[in-house]
Amino acid sequence: MTAPDPVRASRALRGSAAAVLLLEGITVLFVPRGIAQTGPGLTGPRLTLLLVLAVVLILAAGVQGRPQGLVVATVLQVPLLLTGLLNSVMWVVAGVFVLIWLYLLQVRKELLGSPFAAVRAPEPGKADGDDGPTT
């Protein structure tokens, strides 16, 4: 199944991806509070790592309109999942986000034919399935 208007579908899916990335970045900002109460606590390198990850996730949300934005965001799912090494609850939270991300990629594949391919606007005057003007 492909979308009747692939450009519009692509735009909607980019917005969804940006929203998920923004939520991921905000969620990572809550991790230091959980780390501060466990084990060795919140050290400088841990805090720096989490803040950098949060900022990169939020910036990745802003570049979803660019051709490689989706690839960058997909790669960022790995460090998000690895925050589970800092706080065990993040295995579950990040796992849910990764599953949501995989679902978005699957929907994109179903609607646009490929999860990462760029979408081209249809030629003017030719709709999907049209052979040209009718007489």
Side-chain angles (χ1 to χ4, degrees):
M1 176 175 124
T2 58
D5 185 1
V7 174
R8 189 173 179 191
S10 174
R11 195 174 309 138
L13 290 168
R14 282 194 316 250
S16 299
V20 169
L21 287 167
L22 189 62
L23 287 173
E24 288 174 359
I26 292 169
T27 301
V28 169
L29 291 175
F30 288 118
V31 176
R33 177 73 175 139
I35 293 174
Q37 300 172 354
T38 62
L42 185 62
T43 62
R46 285 181 174 190
L47 180 62
T48 303
L49 177 74
L50 290 169
L51 291 177
V52 166
L53 179 60
V55 168
V56 169
L57 284 166
I58 292 169
L59 290 176
V63 298
Q64 287 306 296
R66 301 190 185 270
Q68 297 302 319
L70 195 61
V71 174
V72 169
T74 301
V75 169
L76 285 173
Q77 299 305 306
V78 175
L80 175 70
L81 192 58
L82 291 177
T83 58
L85 296 172
L86 300 175
N87 190 345
S88 60
V89 172
M90 281 305 290
W91 287 116
V92 175
V93 175
V96 169
F97 276 122
V98 169
L99 289 175
I100 292 170
W101 192 259
L102 291 173
Y103 176 72
L104 281 174
L105 290 178
Q106 180 63 32
V107 169
R108 184 175 168 89
K109 181 180 176 186
E110 289 177 8
L111 291 178
L112 304 176
S114 172
F116 296 106
V119 176
R120 289 181 285 165
E123 295 176 25
K126 279 201 162 191
D128 197 23
D130 276 350
D131 292 332
T134 57
T135 52

